[in-house]
Every structure is written in C-alpha cells, then in structure tokens.
C-alpha cells in the first residue's frame, strides 16, 4: 500500500480528529459518536421507552446471528433445532460482540457458551461438536496452498534434525472424548431436514473409543476428515509445534516416515520442508 | 478514478443490463447452467451480471473466493456490501477496507456498492459492528461524515462507490432533510453514485407516510398512495447520479405492523409499476433482482431479470426513436 493510501485508510478509523475537520467540530462528531453508540446499545438491550421500530432492528440482529450460527454449526442446528439455536444466538450476542462486518467470523465462542449452559450436563458432547464445527468452518475459509516440490531436495541435502515441515494453513488435528467426527458424518447430508435414525446415533455412542482423533484439511476436492491413531495424532501435533523431523521420528516410532511422506504429498497436507 | 474497466463501460453503454443477486443456494446453478429453461420450457437469457454480498467472499484465497473468480469468468460481477456503514461517525474499520480492497483487486467488479447507513461504533480501543443497516439522521452532520467516509473509501479502493437508500424502521426527526436531497447532496459532494432500491422507497413510503401513520394499518402490503409518494420520491432524482436500481419484494405484514424489507418475495406489482416509472425518468439503468430469503429456483429469478430487461429495452428503444 502506498503511504498516501495508508494515510487515507487510517483516516477512516475512529478517533480521527482529521475526519471532517474542516466541516465538523469535534463536539459535533463526538455527539454523533455517542448517539450512534446509544442506538446500537438500544438494539442490543431493550429500553423501557423506545421508538416503535427498534424491535425490528433487535429481531433482525437475532435472526442474522441465528443464521450465522446455523451456517457455521449445521450439525449442532440439526441436533438442537432452530429454536434452541435462536436462544443460543441471543445469548452469544451478549457474550461475543460482533467486531467485524463479516458474520462468518462471529460465533467462535459458542463451545464455551454451551459448557456454561444447562445443555452441557445432559449433552456433554455438544461443546466438542461446537469446537469441531468451528474448526471446520474456519478451515473452509483458508487459502488453498500448493506444495513447493523443490523443498524435497532438502531431505537429501541436510540431516533430519535440521529440517521441519510446514503444513497447508487449513490442516489441523482434533481430539475429543466423544465421537464428533462420526456424529458429523452421520448427520450428512447437511440438508436442513435430514436427520439420522436414533438407533444409528446410539450405535456411534455405544461403540466409541476412549478418544477420537481426527485430521482435518482442505484440498482441491474440498474438506477432508481422516481418522487418526493416537500415535499419528502425536506425530502431527509435534510437527505442527515446529519440532524437527528427527525429533518427531524418535518420539513416534510407530509412524513410518517414508509412507507418511508419500501420503502427505498425495493428500495435499504440505506446503514445504524448511531448514530450521 | 477508475469506475469501470473499458470493456465494462462499453457494455454498459451498449445495452441495458439486468442482473441477479447470487446467494449460496444458487452457487451450483450459476456455473452449471448459463441459459436454463423456465417452467414452460422456454429458454431464458443468462443474467447480464451477477451481484454478490462482498463480505461473503472476504476470506482471501478461500474456496469461496476461488468460486467467485470462476463466476467472474462467465459474468460481470458486482460487489454489494452490507457492512461498510458509510455513515458511521467512528469511521470504517481498516481491516474491513483491506479485505474489500483485496476482493476488488481479485474480481475487478462491474460496480461496488453499499448502503447509506451506519454500522460501526468505537468502543475504547476496539470496535463494535451492528450487523445491520442502522439509520442516520438526515442532517448536515451525517452528510459531512458520509462525504468524508465515501471520499476516503473511494480513494482507498481507487473506485467509485454507489450508495443505496435504506429502509428505516424509526422515523426521522421532523426537521430532517428530505431523503432525496440528502442522498443527492452526498453524491454531488463525494463523487459517489446512487443505487436506488425501489422497494425500499415503497416500504418507507408505506411505513411512515402521514396517511399510514407509524405502522402499517391494513393488510395490503403497499397502498396506491405509497406508490404515488414513491413516484414523487423518484421524480426528485437527478438521473446523472444514479448508477443502478435494485428490485425486490417483501413479506406481507400483520395489520398494524411495519413492513420488513426481508427480500423474501418476488418483485411486487407496485415495485414493477414504480420501476417502469423510474426507468422512464432515469433511463435504462443497470437493474438487479435481489432475493435473500425464501429463495426461489434460479430460473424463476432469471425470469424476473428477463422481465426487467424487456422493460429496459423498451425504454432504450423509445429513447433512440426520440
């Protein structure tokens, strides 16, 4: 960005005395700032005396928030139903104020809201499902990066203790005490009215392992979710934390590096190898 | 300042454009079918342009943005924002502008538009976003704020903005400027253009007209008097300032309730009547069929766009004859 544009962009921000300096007094500007803040407060919290029509803005806000949550958390919506999602949206608006113009970036703390709600005692898996879905929602907004195949030369040129690996921005691992990936799969297709049979949900819970480990990433074919063993999960965790290939191979000998590397390139997990 | 690229400007001058707002439910349709049939089996003409909500494509390099780039290889794309809040006394968040700039540079849109409203509030060192189009008082203070913000954004993007009239659910003060005077003064001073949403004009006329009082009294969605008022509103406009028209429909309210601009119904008969009046007065302007809720099939939307195109063509032909 040119310095000129940078200057202009900063002038768009709040607390800018330059804004309208030649036209507006600071007092007028402050007064309008207060009025607009007050209007937004009124939309968020009903007042005893307010002009008719304020409730339209309030309802719009809740409806938009509910729609945003339904898009980010489609499986939770199926599990809880639209009315519960509206209640959660209303509560979450009090806890997590929208800071961006993009509603897709709002709603990250729904898992915490669920943990502190009465839902959690009876359905303790819901909070993890919320975390899992937010992870998916976020990775679907990640860029698709290719693999720098040239960096493979580093494997031949340097000892493994000097090398690390960088993953595509969307890749992450997820662990839960509940079978959230299986539950999500069960609720596909994500069309609004499709619900799995109760017996199928019961089977998933009754056959679950102690922990469910998952790998999530985005490639040209779309969202990918793969089940991992505990050792594979640790392997990815170590690499994501920036440990050297040598350290990771030592810590998780159950994973065959050559085979993993072939998979990694084929599946689109990597962006490059690098010298640490 | 570059408003349109040369090809786009040429195409705008050569023929009137009728476009369709693209929402998630039609993402597959827009790429799979460039000329589907209507229910009667008649081939429909493709939309002349596609308009999307800018914020839905802000994630840089994401599959959504890649998809939009694909769409842009088939159709001219217009970016319509719902969150810029050009009337915000706090200004506009720099992150928002940077995301929009990246998208504008990636898509090279036919038009860029947003609304005459405020959305942002400064909270200590942070920001709050309203998530809605909140009304500004139509006075000289709002005018100064808007003009400054528009000029800053236009300079930042290197593109001209079109600013849309909104529906307000709280009445303006008695000493407020006339909305058309306010919008036109804003456009003259800032160099922006206007996007006129005819349904919004009708809804405001119906919700807050002196005859209707505050709140809608009967079960008719839009009354003949609101249409007359809306025509008068349109007649006040300087055609040189208007760059685009939006057409939409909304749900029938309960008696006594305000009409909500929910974009959930086909374009109403009153809106079509106002549209014919508007394009006769303003000229055959780029026109968008806007639908956000209760989405119909893609061919149904194209059918409404085709109807708009036919009306635009008639106006253009009559102007050529004259």
């Amino acid at each position: 960005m040119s310095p000129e544009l940078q200057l202009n962009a900063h002038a768009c921000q709040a607390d800018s005395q330059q804004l309208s300096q030649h036209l507006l007094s600071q007092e007028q500007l402050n007064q309008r700032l207060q009025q607009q803040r007050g209007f937004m407060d009124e939309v968020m919290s009903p007042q005893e005396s307010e002009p008719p029509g304020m409730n339209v803005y309030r309802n719009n806000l809740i409806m938009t928030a509910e729609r945003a949550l339904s898009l980010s958390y489609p499986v939770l919506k199926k599990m809880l139903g639209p009315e519960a999602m509206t209640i959660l949206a209303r509560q979450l608006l009090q806890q997590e104020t929208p800071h961006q113009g993009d509603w897709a970036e709002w709603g990250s703390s729904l898992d915490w809201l669920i943990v502190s709600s009465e839902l959690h005692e009876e359905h303790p898996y819901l909070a993890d499902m919320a975390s899992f879905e937010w992870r998916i929602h976020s990775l679907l907004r990640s860029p698709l990066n290719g693999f720098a195949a040239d960096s493979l030369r580093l494997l031949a040129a340097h000892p493994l203790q000097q090398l690390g690996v960088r993953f595509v921005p969307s890749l992450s691992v997820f662990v839960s005490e509940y079978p959230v990936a299986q539950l999500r799969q069960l609720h596909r297709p994500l069309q609004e009215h499709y619900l799995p049979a109760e017996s199928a949900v019961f089977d998933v819970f009754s056959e679950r392992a102690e922990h469910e480990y998952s790998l999530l990433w985005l490639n040209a074919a779309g969202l990918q979710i793969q089940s991992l063993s505990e050792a594979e999960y640790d392997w990815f965790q170590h690499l994501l934390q920036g440990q050297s290939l040598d350290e990771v191979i030592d810590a998780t000998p159950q994973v065959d590096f050559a085979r993993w590397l072939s998979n990694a390139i084929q599946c689109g997990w990597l962006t490059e190898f690098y010298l640490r | 300042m570059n408003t349109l690229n040369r090809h786009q400007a040429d195409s705008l001058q050569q023929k009137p454009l009728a476009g369709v707002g693209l929402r998630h439910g039609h993402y597959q349709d827009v790429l799979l079918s460039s000329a589907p049939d209507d229910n009667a089996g008649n081939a429909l003409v493709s939309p002349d342009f596609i308009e999307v909500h800018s914020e839905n494509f802000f994630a840089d390099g994401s599959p959504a943005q890649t998809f939009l780039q694909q769409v842009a290889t088939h159709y001219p794309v217009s970016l319509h924002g719902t969150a810029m809040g050009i009337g915000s006394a706090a200004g506009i968040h720099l992150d928002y502008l940077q995301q929009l700039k990246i998208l504008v540079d990636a898509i090279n849109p036919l038009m860029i538009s947003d609304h005459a409203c405020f959305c942002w509030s400064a909270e200590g060192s942070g920001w709050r976003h309203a998530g809605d189009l909140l009304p500004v008082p139509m006075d000289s203070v709002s005018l100064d704020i808007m003009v400054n913000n528009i000029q800053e954004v236009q300079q930042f993007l290197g593109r001209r903005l079109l600013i849309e009239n909104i529906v307000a659910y709280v009445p303006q003060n008695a000493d407020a400027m006339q909305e058309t005077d306010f919008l036109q003064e804003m456009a003259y001073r800032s160099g922006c253009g206007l996007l006129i949403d005819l349904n919004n004009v009708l809804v405001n006329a119906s919700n807050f007209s002196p005859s209707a009082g505050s709140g809608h009294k009967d079960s008719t969605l839009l009354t003949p008097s609101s249409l007359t008022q809306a025509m008068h509103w349109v007649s006040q406009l300087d055609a040189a300032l208007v760059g685009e028209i939006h057409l939409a429909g909304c749900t029938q309210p309960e008696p006594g309730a305000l009409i909500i601009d929910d974009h959930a119904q086909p374009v109403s008969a009153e809106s079509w009547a106002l549209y014919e009046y508007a394009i006769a007065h303003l000229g055959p302007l780029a026109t968008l069929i806007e639908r956000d809720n209760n989405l119909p099939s893609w061919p149904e939307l194209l059918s409404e766009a085709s109807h708009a195109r036919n009306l635009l063509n008639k106006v253009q032909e009559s102007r050529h004859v004259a």
Side-chain angles (χ1 to χ4, degrees), chain B residues 104-119:
Chain B
V104 166
D105 290 346
I107 299 298
N108 188 21
L110 181 68
M111 294 173 278
I112 307 170
S113 55
D114 210 295
H115 299 81
C117 66
F118 85 93
C119 299

Side-chain angles (χ1 to χ4, degrees), chain A residues 48 68 85-86 99 102 112 136 146 149 184-185 221 247 263 268:
Chain A
E48 273 186 20
M85 288 304 272
T86 303
H99 295 292
D102 183 0
W112 286 102
I136 290 170
R184 181 184 179 278
Q185 185 60 30
E247 287 169 321
N263 264 344

Side-chain angles (χ1 to χ4, degrees), chain A residues 196-263:
Chain A
E198 279 185 31
S199 59
V201 176
F202 179 81
D203 288 347
V204 164
F205 273 105
S206 59
E207 291 163 15
R208 71 186 167 120
E210 196 174 333
H211 287 96
E212 183 193 68
Y213 301 96
S214 303
L215 176 72
L216 305 94
W217 78 101
L218 187 65
N219 64 19
L223 167 68
Q224 308 292 325
I225 301 174
Q226 181 179 309
S227 177
L228 297 176
S229 67
E230 186 176 355
E232 289 167 328
Y233 173 85
D234 289 342
W235 170 277
F236 276 100
Q237 274 288 58
H238 294 318
L239 286 173
L240 284 163
Q241 285 161 6
Q243 292 185 17
S244 73
L245 287 171
D246 185 54
E247 287 169 321
V248 177
I249 289 167
D250 280 351
T252 43
Q254 307 94 316
V255 177
D256 178 342
F257 175 60
R259 198 169 156 190
W260 178 86
L261 179 59
S262 163
N263 264 344

Side-chain angles (χ1 to χ4, degrees), chain B residues 255-279:
Chain B
L258 293 169
I259 302 171
I260 311 297
D261 177 39
D262 59 6
H263 293 179
Q265 295 296 319
V267 179
S268 65
E270 294 84 355
S271 285
W272 283 119
L274 181 58
Y275 179 60
E276 288 192 58
Y277 176 81
I279 57 177

